[in-house]
Amino acid sequence: MEKYVITGMSCAACQVRVEKAVNALKGVSECTVSLITNSMTVEGNVLSSDIINAVEDAGYQATLVNEEGQINEEEEALEDKETPILKKRLLYSVGFLLVLVYFSIGHKVFAFPLPHFLEGNYIVIGIIQMILCIFIMIINRDFFISGFKGLMYKAPNMDSLVALGSSASFVYSAFALAIMMISSAKGTPEKNNLFYDELYFESAAMILTLVTVGKMLEARSKGKTTTAIKSLMKLASKTANIIDENGAEKEVQINQVKVDDIFVVKEGERIPVDGVIVEGSSAIDESSLTGESTPIEKSVGNDVYAATISSSANIKCKATRVGKDTTLSQLITIVTDAAATKAPIAKLADKVSGVFVPVVMCIALVTIMTWLISGASFGYALARGIAVLVISCPCAVGLATPIACMVGSGVGVKNGILYKTAESFENTGKCNIVIIDKRGTITKGEPVVTDVFLADAITESGYSAEKLTNAELELIRLAGILESKSSHPLAKAVASHAANVCDNIDVFVEDLNEIPGNGIEGTIEGSVIRCGNLDLISKYANIPEEVSKRAYGLSIRGKTPLFFAKDNNFIGIIAVADTIKDDSAQAIEELKNMGIRVVMITGDNESTARAIAAKAGVNEVYAGVLPENKKEIAEELMKEGKVAMVGDGVTDADALTAANVGIAIGAGTDVSVDAADVVLMKNSLLDVSGAIRLSKGTLANIRQNLFTSFIYNAIGIPIAAGCFIRLIGLTIYPAIGAAAMSFASFFAVTNALNLKVFDIRDASKDKKMLNKKVLKNDEDEEVEDNEIIVKSLSKPEEINITKTLSIEGMMCNHCENTVKTALEAVEGVTEAVVSYEKNTAVVTLNLDVSDEILKKAVEEKDYKVIEIK
């Protein structure tokens, strides 16, 4: 993809013209032009010289952006050069216009006094008006250059309408003045009064001046639109302090810094390039990149990034990424590339803008002809046609979408939300299904120890070492020593906890053996220590039934029980869980309040998945999901609506790519997550609801602007054409039409700029979207808010547990066999030992079977279950 800076564009029609010219070239697959950033991106296999020639043939100028100096060139392109020029033009125009209005309307309507020698000399007064009008036309000649050039290239724009309207007024007035002069020369001065009323020099001048007012306000507002991009560009350092080969510190230009150079950052200074700390430590303020306001303590070996601030101390760093490879440069590239793309709604607005001007010109011509046919004077008919030309506002249509998208993207950047394209920005707000990968998204992604249980004393304790008994501390110590040798996330959690509550876990382990999917074993201080799941440890040690029940209870609360044995004797359980983030439940509630269907996917078993879903407030869960299943789930749900997939961008890259919108959460400074359409730099699920809310707010703003523009033109053009003159006597003077057009453009831009104060955290105005899919349970009933539907993609986790049922009504062996057959027919029951003499049935289970199911199976055979233990 190549980038170009485009100059000479004045409205949305110019933008469309450039796109058409470049897209017509053979080898161009896609061309996108942005009027806001004065930029163009081109994809395809075509020479840059051919592209530049095509742009120039269309009447504009193009310059290829050099990668090395990309930031400087783009910053220069974004600089507001229009406003100062337009302001100067406006001041001169107003000065001449005031004098012109005094000689025309002032004298004609309000009888303002004139010098004695001008009294009754209408020809001289007319000549003065014409000269003043010519001065104003020269000052605002850009309208004529751009407008007539557009007509010449068969691509009329807004300037064409202004130029035609102003020129028509001037030419007709000059014609009337010429007739006055001829009449006077022929000795028939009585015609002077008649044609003096046909002079419209002040209209021609007023049209140019009022449109210039609108242009200046519009340019000023457009300059504010790119604030976010310009703010990022200003973060780039111009110089860096490096250590030279002699060990001396010297200041160099930023483009002279090379990879592996050592540079110094003093307290309070911005870090010039990406690097790694080699000396010192400091609190690094990364808010300029991630939006995270709390500084992060970093020391030797930690990465640092360009544009962040060393806020508490001096540090020395080694450069790892420089120039366009730095995180800041990548961030700027993403934002500017997004600004250069177009949302689907913008493409529709461009199509309207492309035909708007020719249609208006035809309407103006029809208006003139209609009034002439109806018997009106040529001057009157021309005034109506000119009013149609100058009241029409194509810019309100063309500017509404790109400015709103640009401002909305800027708000996102400030909050650590990056939309990679305008299309993804629009689609994010249209999603009605959000799939959330549990690990690291709903949960913290870092398991922690939650409970400690000894074999001979089932007690519960938490994190505090003060509550732990010596026996519990010994269990934790042995577990920590063994697990510190494993890289499994659960093992790391146990080792970390042990390191916090025990003195020393750095002990040598003999005969270390990891058993994939089951556990780990090794010899510590002469004893064989094993850690693993129930299946593994039960092969070496006797696990009491009460312990199995406690372990099952832990699993249904979302915790993973790790069993430990010492010399083939069971010694206890340590429970580990991936805890819910503090803001996950709130974020999911906000999504549901928007009418969005939230689906959680996890590799956990059904019990654990259900427990996590209950805490997070999720009603629909896919359990036992493998990485390769995530894409399938996304594709299946896309048949029911627009899907946003939220994950870390690594283990779920395929699913992010497959979904309508892929959202990578917790990217931090890794902004170039290829699979994602939206990158959330902070690790907060609230940013998902914030990103959707911002997109919805921006789309609402765009619709407001488009609707307002449509209503304005639908009402304004008929009034200007004189459609209501004979009904209610309503008409518009051409100069008033020009003022109205300027106001309409300014309103569209200003309304879009209101997005700058949009609060992505404010959920008070959230509106539920209509979601056609109603979630139902197995009984085909609508799911209540507190009901959870779990769909498992893996076989249910097998357990080994027994339950004893007290049964009333059994009287013989036949009764025994009936109850036994009924119970063993239940899925998950491996054996049922029934005794009519004891009135009991001892049931062995390998799956989680509820008491209600067992009770129902027995009572359907007309026996009564009194109790289940």
Side-chain angles (χ1 to χ4, degrees):
M1 183 175 71
E2 290 184 328
K3 280 188 176 182
Y4 296 82
V5 173
I6 307 296
T7 54
M9 296 188 297
S10 60
C11 73
C14 300
Q15 176 180 287
V16 174
R17 170 65 182 167
V18 174
E19 283 185 355
K20 283 184 178 178
V22 177
N23 277 321
L25 292 174
K26 187 177 181 180
V28 173
S29 57
E30 185 177 7
C31 169
T32 306
V33 179
S34 171
L35 177 64
I36 310 302
T37 59
N38 297 314
S39 65
M40 174 178 71
T41 57
V42 181
E43 291 187 9
N45 185 20
V46 63
L47 294 174
S48 57
S49 58
D50 292 341
I51 293 172
I52 292 171
N53 288 335
V55 174
E56 289 177 350
D57 288 343
Y60 307 92
Q61 295 77 46
T63 307
L64 180 64
V65 175
N66 187 339
E67 278 194 5
E68 293 301 320
Q70 182 171 341
I71 292 179
N72 291 332
E73 289 185 40
E74 289 181 344
E75 189 173 5
E76 188 178 340
L78 291 172
E79 188 181 337
D80 184 9
K81 298 172 184 176
E82 279 188 274
T83 303
I85 295 171
L86 289 168
K87 187 176 181 181
K88 193 174 181 180
R89 270 171 52 181
L90 180 61
L91 289 173
Y92 285 123
S93 297
V94 168
F96 284 111
L97 181 64
L98 290 175
V99 179
L100 173 56
V101 169
Y102 185 93
F103 275 94
S104 56
I105 299 174
H107 174 64
K108 192 187 305 182
V109 179
F110 301 104
F112 287 171
L114 292 175
H116 180 70
F117 66 90
L118 289 178
E119 286 293 342
N121 195 341
Y122 297 121
I123 293 176
V124 175
I125 294 173
I127 291 172
I128 291 173
Q129 291 180 32
M130 183 176 70
I131 292 171
L132 291 168
C133 182
I134 289 172
F135 283 147
I136 294 173
M137 293 173 81
I138 292 172
I139 292 168
N140 295 283
R141 60 188 175 277
D142 286 353
F143 286 125
F144 300 97
I145 295 170
S146 172
F148 289 123
K149 186 185 286 185
L151 289 171
M152 186 174 65
Y153 285 106
K154 298 179 182 178
N157 53 35
M158 191 201 79
D159 289 348
S160 301
L161 297 178
V162 175
L164 283 174
S166 180
S167 298
S169 294
F170 180 83
V171 171
Y172 179 75
S173 300
F175 177 74
L177 181 59
I179 291 177
M180 289 170 60
M181 294 171 71
I182 293 170
S183 299
S184 181
K186 288 183 176 181
T188 54
E190 62 275 5
K191 290 187 178 180
N192 287 0
N193 288 342
L194 178 63
F195 281 96
Y196 181 65
D197 291 333
E198 297 293 314
L199 297 183
Y200 293 102
F201 289 118
E202 79 282 356
S203 293
M206 205 174 289
I207 288 170
L208 294 172
T209 304
L210 290 174
V211 173
T212 301
V213 172
K215 280 272 189 181
M216 188 195 74
L217 294 174
E218 184 185 306
R220 189 176 178 185
S221 299
K222 278 165 60 182
K224 294 178 181 177
T225 302
T226 55
T227 300
I229 298 178
K230 288 186 279 193
S231 297
L232 283 174
M233 290 177 173
K234 287 177 181 176
L235 294 175
S237 300
K238 305 295 183 186
T239 61
N241 295 316
I242 66 169
I243 304 298
D244 63 19
E245 57 276 6
N246 300 319
E249 183 180 325
K250 71 173 183 178
E251 186 177 85
V252 298
Q253 293 298 310
I254 196 67
N255 56 7
Q256 294 179 275
V257 181
K258 298 179 179 62
V259 174
D260 293 335
D261 278 352
I262 303 297
F263 60 91
V264 178
V265 182
K266 297 186 171 81
E267 181 182 348
E269 286 185 349
R270 287 196 185 276
I271 295 169
V273 296
D274 291 1
V276 60
I277 299 176
V278 295
E279 185 180 312
S281 62
S282 177
I284 307 298
D285 179 1
E286 296 185 346
S287 59
S288 55
L289 290 184
T290 65
E292 185 60 62
S293 57
T294 307
I296 303 170
E297 288 291 337
K298 295 194 175 186
S299 57
V300 175
N302 291 136
D303 292 327
V304 291
Y305 305 96
T308 60
I309 299 172
S310 176
S311 58
S312 62
N314 298 346
I315 53 175
K316 281 186 181 180
C317 310
K318 182 170 75 171
T320 55
R321 291 188 294 187
V322 300
K324 62 183 178 66
D325 296 324
T326 65
T327 300
L328 176 64
S329 293
Q330 291 178 31
L331 181 57
I332 292 170
T333 299
I334 288 174
V335 176
T336 53
D337 284 353
T341 61
K342 285 186 181 175
I345 195 170
K347 293 176 182 177
L348 175 62
D350 281 351
K351 287 180 181 178
V352 174
S353 298
V355 299
F356 185 88
V357 175
V359 169
V360 168
M361 290 169 64
C362 291
I363 293 173
L365 186 59
V366 170
T367 299
I368 295 171
M369 298 302 295
T370 302
W371 279 107
L372 287 174
I373 292 170
S374 67
S377 68
F378 183 78
Y380 185 85
L382 183 64
R384 301 285 66 76
I386 292 170
V388 168
L389 288 174
V390 298
I391 201 172
S392 306
C393 186
C395 280
V397 178
L399 288 173
T401 303
I403 289 182
C405 285
M406 178 71 74
V407 176
S409 295
V411 173
V413 170
K414 287 181 180 177
N415 288 277
I417 301 171
L418 301 180
Y419 301 92
K420 287 193 171 181
T421 64
E423 185 174 2
S424 63
F425 190 11
E426 179 178 334
N427 287 339
T428 300
K430 294 180 178 179
C431 289
N432 56 357
I433 302 173
V434 173
I435 305 172
I436 306 176
D437 194 357
K438 185 212 77 173
R439 188 175 181 276
T441 304
I442 291 177
T443 62
K444 294 178 180 177
E446 298 174 357
V448 293
V449 171
T450 57
D451 307 276
V452 178
F453 299 94
L454 293 175
D456 54 352
I458 303 297
T459 59
E460 182 175 333
S461 61
Y463 296 101
S464 174
E466 296 176 3
K467 296 181 181 180
L468 296 171
T469 65
N470 290 334
E472 288 171 335
L473 282 171
E474 178 61 14
L475 169 61
I476 294 171
R477 187 183 76 86
L478 291 173
I481 293 170
L482 183 63
E483 297 283 42
S484 66
K485 313 305 177 186
S486 172
S487 59
H488 194 281
L490 299 183
K492 288 181 179 179
V494 175
S496 175
H497 184 69
N500 290 333
V501 299
C502 302
D503 293 333
N504 181 28
I505 63 168
D506 188 14
V507 176
F508 179 71
V509 178
E510 298 179 64
D511 303 323
L512 185 68
N513 178 35
E514 284 200 60
I515 307 165
N518 287 286
I520 187 172
E521 62 185 4
T523 301
I524 301 173
E525 298 167 348
S527 298
V528 177
I529 309 297
R530 290 186 176 89
C531 165
N533 56 27
L534 178 61
D535 288 341
L536 175 67
I537 302 304
S538 60
K539 292 178 182 177
Y540 301 94
N542 179 44
I543 308 295
E545 183 179 346
E546 188 176 1
V547 172
S548 298
K549 289 180 179 179
R550 179 59 61 89
Y552 176 69
L554 289 169
S555 68
I556 64 174
R557 298 207 306 271
K559 302 177 182 181
T560 301
L562 301 176
F563 294 78
F564 290 86
K566 179 180 181 180
D567 292 330
N568 294 337
N569 293 308
F570 172 69
I571 57 175
I573 292 175
I574 295 178
V576 179
D578 189 359
T579 54
I580 297 279
K581 291 179 186 174
D582 296 336
D583 57 12
S584 289
Q586 179 188 344
I588 289 167
E589 183 65 24
E590 288 184 6
L591 290 172
K592 289 162 70 175
N593 288 339
M594 292 182 198
I596 294 172
R597 178 179 162 197
V598 181
V599 179
M600 184 182 85
I601 58 175
T602 174
D604 295 333
N605 60 55
E606 287 191 37
S607 300
T608 303
R610 189 180 293 275
I612 296 291
K615 291 178 183 177
V618 179
N619 297 103
E620 189 174 359
V621 182
Y622 282 84
V625 178
L626 297 174
E628 57 266 26
N629 298 140
K630 296 176 183 178
K631 180 181 177 181
E632 296 171 15
I633 294 170
E635 289 174 342
E636 185 64 29
L637 290 174
M638 282 168 67
K639 297 175 184 176
E640 302 175 22
K642 272 194 176 292
V643 172
M645 172 72 198
V646 184
D648 58 15
V650 180
T651 60
D652 41 28
D654 287 345
L656 291 182
T657 303
N660 297 109
V661 178
I663 302 177
I665 190 171
T669 49
D670 183 16
V671 297
S672 57
V673 183
D674 293 332
D677 300 301
V678 182
V679 178
L680 308 181
M681 300 177 75
K682 288 182 281 188
N683 200 8
S684 170
L685 201 58
L686 282 172
D687 282 349
V688 175
S689 55
I692 293 173
R693 188 175 294 118
L694 177 58
S695 175
K696 285 177 175 288
T698 303
L699 286 172
N701 184 278
I702 290 170
R703 291 187 187 107
Q704 286 173 12
N705 282 337
L706 292 177
F707 177 76
T708 304
S709 175
F710 173 77
I711 294 298
Y712 164 81
N713 285 294
I715 295 174
I717 291 176
I719 292 175
C723 295
F724 300 100
I725 289 177
R726 291 179 181 174
L727 289 174
I728 56 177
L730 181 62
T731 186
I732 289 180
Y733 191 67
I736 303 301
M741 187 267 283
S742 296
F743 172 77
S745 293
F746 179 64
F747 173 82
V749 177
T750 304
N751 189 45
L753 286 174
N754 287 335
L755 286 168
K756 277 192 166 188
V757 295
F758 188 89
D759 184 3
I760 69 167
R761 304 287 178 222
D762 184 8
S764 61
K765 298 178 183 178
D766 287 346
K767 295 179 182 178
K768 281 196 174 185
M769 66 170 67
L770 182 63
N771 201 335
K772 296 179 182 178
K773 173 72 176 180
V774 176
L775 187 60
K776 294 185 177 182
N777 57 23
D778 294 336
E779 283 73 39
D780 202 35
E781 298 172 340
E782 190 172 336
V783 172
E784 300 293 331
D785 282 345
N786 59 352
E787 189 175 350
I788 300 170
I789 302 298
V790 181
K791 303 171 185 177
S792 181
L793 299 188
S794 63
K795 292 181 180 179
E797 182 182 19
E798 292 194 358
I799 58 176
N800 185 17
I801 191 171
T802 59
K803 291 185 179 183
T804 301
L805 288 73
S806 297
I807 302 173
E808 199 175 73
M810 294 189 298
M811 302 176 65
C812 62
N813 290 331
H814 175 73
C815 296
E816 280 184 2
N817 290 331
T818 301
V819 172
K820 178 180 175 68
T821 302
L823 286 171
E824 290 183 344
V826 175
E827 184 181 3
V829 176
T830 58
E831 184 184 19
V833 179
V834 184
S835 171
Y836 78 88
E837 295 172 343
K838 297 179 181 178
N839 291 321
T840 62
V842 180
V843 181
T844 304
L845 307 169
N846 65 354
L847 295 177
D848 176 21
V849 181
S850 68
D851 292 350
E852 288 76 13
I853 293 175
L854 296 174
K855 183 178 179 182
K856 184 179 179 182
V858 174
E859 293 186 344
E860 280 181 349
K861 300 301 180 182
D862 297 326
Y863 300 97
K864 186 175 182 180
V865 177
I866 305 300
E867 184 183 18
I868 299 178
K869 294 183 181 179

